[in-house]
Amino acid sequence: MLINVSRVVVAVASAAVLVLTGGAATVVDSVAPADSGDSGAAAASAAASEPAKPAASANSAVGALFAGGKHFCTASVVHSPAGDLVLTAAHCLGAGTAGLTFEPGYHDGVAPFGTWTVTAAAVPAGWAASADQDLDFAFLTVARPGTAASLESLTGANQLGVSRGFTNAITLTGYPDPADAPVVCENTTTRSDTYQQRVACPGFPDGTSGAPWVTGADPATGLGTVVGVIGGYEAGGDTPDVSYSAYFDDDIQRLYDSVTS
């Protein structure tokens, strides 16, 4: 997400990234950086919400992405047949995935479900070609050597929500950089452009890019249906108090199908 210039700074080495082309995943060497251009978002302000609240572990399926020993983005487990799939913003990948890890439920320096290595990433071809802000989402495949259980079996997972409309009551959970616990906000999303949605949630600065927008969250687990991630317009917005997401439609469904079929 952006604050003035950028809400995420990624310093990771170049690595292979899968790109969806015509329904199939192909490999490229790197992913373009985030586009910071104006999407023509509506000028009207979104509804006000309560400030983000810190939580020791708001949702076990939500965690922090790490590179070089520091977390810089947020990601979440999404249901998949293999139980090894994580969703984040495409702009979080920077130049690739080398050295990238995911720690679900991270808080206070503790990774309660272990550290998972990102082994592959899939982004839409439109993102790889031109950092299309309407395609700012990515799926990561993760693994943990020596662990027989799948990630999803340990943390649970959100379902992927496609074409759910622009107005949804959501729970937003993200990891501000360099906070040791996530912040959580609840509010209703609105439409900001043809393929962009937004939500007013104060207190989502650097590090919260990729944070999942979860609707229908179970009060006990926090799990529900993910209908967006912080990203899109200005890589998530030009203020920490209003966040954006690319709209989840057939594009994300095709990308999901390419990595799960």
Side-chain angles (χ1 to χ4, degrees):
M1 213 171 168
L2 294 183
I3 293 181
N4 296 325
V5 179
S6 177
R7 287 195 191 179
V8 54
V9 177
V10 187
V12 295
S14 179
V17 178
L18 294 175
V19 177
L20 179 65
T21 55
T26 56
V27 178
V28 298
D29 290 332
S30 64
V31 177
D35 179 14
S36 60
D38 186 356
S39 71
S45 297
S49 68
E50 292 297 323
K53 302 174 183 178
S57 183
N59 181 331
S60 58
V62 182
L65 285 177
F66 283 77
K70 297 181 179 179
H71 66 81
F72 65 93
C73 262
T74 303
S76 59
V77 185
V78 65
H79 173 67
S80 66
D84 61 355
L85 202 60
V86 174
L87 173 65
T88 191
H91 74 261
C92 287
L93 298 182
T97 60
L100 198 61
T101 60
F102 173 60
E103 296 190 6
Y106 172 80
H107 66 90
D108 303 310
V110 177
F113 301 100
T115 298
W116 296 74
T117 300
V118 175
T119 59
V123 301
W127 174 266
S130 61
D132 184 343
Q133 63 186 9
D134 294 335
L135 299 170
D136 191 3
F137 43 77
F139 290 107
L140 311 178
T141 302
V142 299
R144 189 181 182 207
T147 301
S150 70
L151 172 61
E152 184 174 336
S153 70
L154 299 176
T155 64
N158 294 312
Q159 298 292 322
L160 179 64
V162 177
S163 299
R164 296 298 184 96
F166 289 89
T167 304
N168 292 282
I170 67 163
T171 300
L172 180 59
T173 306
Y175 284 82
D177 186 17
D180 273 338
V183 291
V184 181
C185 173
E186 296 180 352
N187 205 2
T188 300
T189 64
T190 61
R191 187 173 189 166
S192 65
D193 204 349
T194 305
Y195 299 108
Q196 293 286 318
Q197 53 190 332
R198 64 181 175 181
V199 65
C201 269
F204 280 75
D206 292 16
T208 57
S209 285
W213 300 25
V214 178
T215 187
D218 184 304
T221 66
L223 298 174
T225 300
V226 57
V227 296
V229 295
I230 291 182
Y233 169 67
E234 293 282 1
D238 52 11
T239 165
D241 296 335
V242 178
S243 297
Y244 293 78
S245 170
Y247 182 63
F248 282 9
D249 57 12
D250 291 346
D251 289 310
I252 196 168
Q253 183 66 61
R254 286 193 293 269
L255 187 64
Y256 175 85
D257 291 344
S258 76
V259 296
T260 57
S261 59

